[in-house]
Amino acid sequence: MPPAPDSSPQDRLTDSWIANAAAWTRVVQAGGIPSRKAGTDAAILSALARLRRGRVLDVGCGEGWLTRALAAQGHEAIGIDASPPLIETARAASSVAGEVAAPTYAVATYATLGAALDTLGGPFDAAICNFALLDDDLATPLTALHGVLRPRGTLFIQTVHPLTALAGAPYEDGWREETFSAFAETFPASMPWYYRTLGSWLRAVRDAGFTLDSVDEPRAESQPLPLSLLITATRR
Ligand SMILES: C[S@@+](CC[C@H](N)C(=O)[O-])C[C@H]1O[C@@H](n2cnc3c(N)ncnc32)[C@H](O)[C@@H]1O
């Protein structure tokens, strides 16, 4: 059932990923997101290829494509997501994929991340948030991730590029609405998401106790604006 329109943006955000789980899974698994094919999948995989094998956490893993890729590269991969149907789909996909060490998964929201991580254990060598930090509160998940990463562990965040997503609106933080109308699938619910300026992203990462290693802007030759913003940072 689509979320009630009068709920808070945070509740509608998490509820939308329950309502949209099946449509999202079909789109991702059919390669139906042009920016992913144009380079954002390759960008995160290339950034992660530099990691030594270890314990890695895929935060907001969705149907689990990246968690599976990490397991296939030999990492001990753990995926968490707020959407129970997406975690169910990720588990089912991993059980037939036949990786040497299958990923494990847990349902957790950004707000319960700290407690869930106690159960999942730690410390982790790396945490990856691939288009998964959509809420206005970044301090809660980033502080929780800081708490479970090893000293000098790596944080990877790939997100929409603030310039590309601006779409004529003022350049300032604030809630926006994604309708998924560009996709071939019909999504039952629209999704509130929190737009951030470049400075806002970098400050949030630094304030949570990380040192910036790189700020990349993956490009596709045919496109005038960056495909995404890719931040790599080290736990202080
Ligand atoms: C755009 S999808 C990205 C999924 C995956 N990382 C990928 O690359 O395909 C965003 C994911 O963030 C998750 N998410 C959104 N809000 C969340 C929250 N408050 N806590 C945990 N996960 C959340 C959604 O359930 C969804 O799976």
Side-chain angles (χ1 to χ4, degrees):
M1 200 201 310
D6 56 351
S7 322
S8 69
Q10 293 84 356
D11 286 347
R12 287 205 301 118
L13 166 57
T14 37
D15 287 353
S16 74
W17 287 101
I18 297 171
N20 292 333
W24 174 255
T25 300
R26 283 192 295 270
V27 165
V28 171
Q29 295 184 356
I33 304 179
S35 56
R36 292 194 166 203
K37 279 210 285 208
T40 66
D41 283 358
I44 191 72
L45 289 171
S46 156
L48 293 170
R50 297 195 291 269
L51 271 182
R52 274 199 303 214
R53 284 185 187 177
R55 292 196 87 216
V56 296
L57 187 66
D58 186 6
V59 182
C61 63
E63 52 64 64
W65 76 271
L66 188 54
T67 331
R68 293 191 290 281
L70 287 161
Q73 285 165 11
H75 294 288
E76 184 186 342
I78 293 138
I80 58 161
D81 200 282
S83 167
L86 281 172
I87 286 293
E88 217 171 283
T89 301
R91 281 198 180 113
S94 292
S95 68
V96 295
E99 288 96 1
V100 181
T104 53
Y105 296 98
V107 174
T109 68
Y110 300 156
T112 62
L113 193 56
L117 291 175
D118 288 344
T119 315
L120 293 169
F124 289 87
D125 298 293
I128 303 109
C129 310
N130 194 50
F131 298 105
L133 295 174
L134 301 163
D135 210 334
D136 60 340
D137 175 15
L138 255 191
T140 300
L142 291 184
T143 304
L145 292 174
H146 184 273
V148 295
L149 278 170
R150 288 185 203 286
R152 304 211 48 79
T154 314
L155 172 69
F156 297 88
I157 298 175
Q158 182 165 225
T159 186
V160 292
H161 194 286
L163 186 59
T164 311
L166 191 58
Y171 186 61
E172 59 192 26
D173 289 7
W175 285 99
R176 306 275 181 90
E177 195 82 11
E178 169 64 61
T179 61
F180 302 99
S181 57
F183 296 159
E185 281 283 337
T186 301
F187 280 65
S190 66
M191 175 194 71
W193 64 281
Y194 198 76
Y195 176 92
R196 285 176 195 284
T197 64
L198 179 60
S200 172
W201 274 110
L202 301 184
R203 276 190 299 278
V205 171
R206 185 200 59 195
D207 291 352
F210 294 90
T211 302
L212 288 169
D213 297 330
S214 61
V215 179
D216 295 310
E217 299 171 300
R219 303 291 302 262
E221 253 178 41
S222 55
Q223 297 188 23
L225 294 174
L227 294 168
S228 68
L229 174 67
L230 179 47
I231 299 168
T232 308
T234 297
R235 181 197 189 281
R236 285 201 295 270

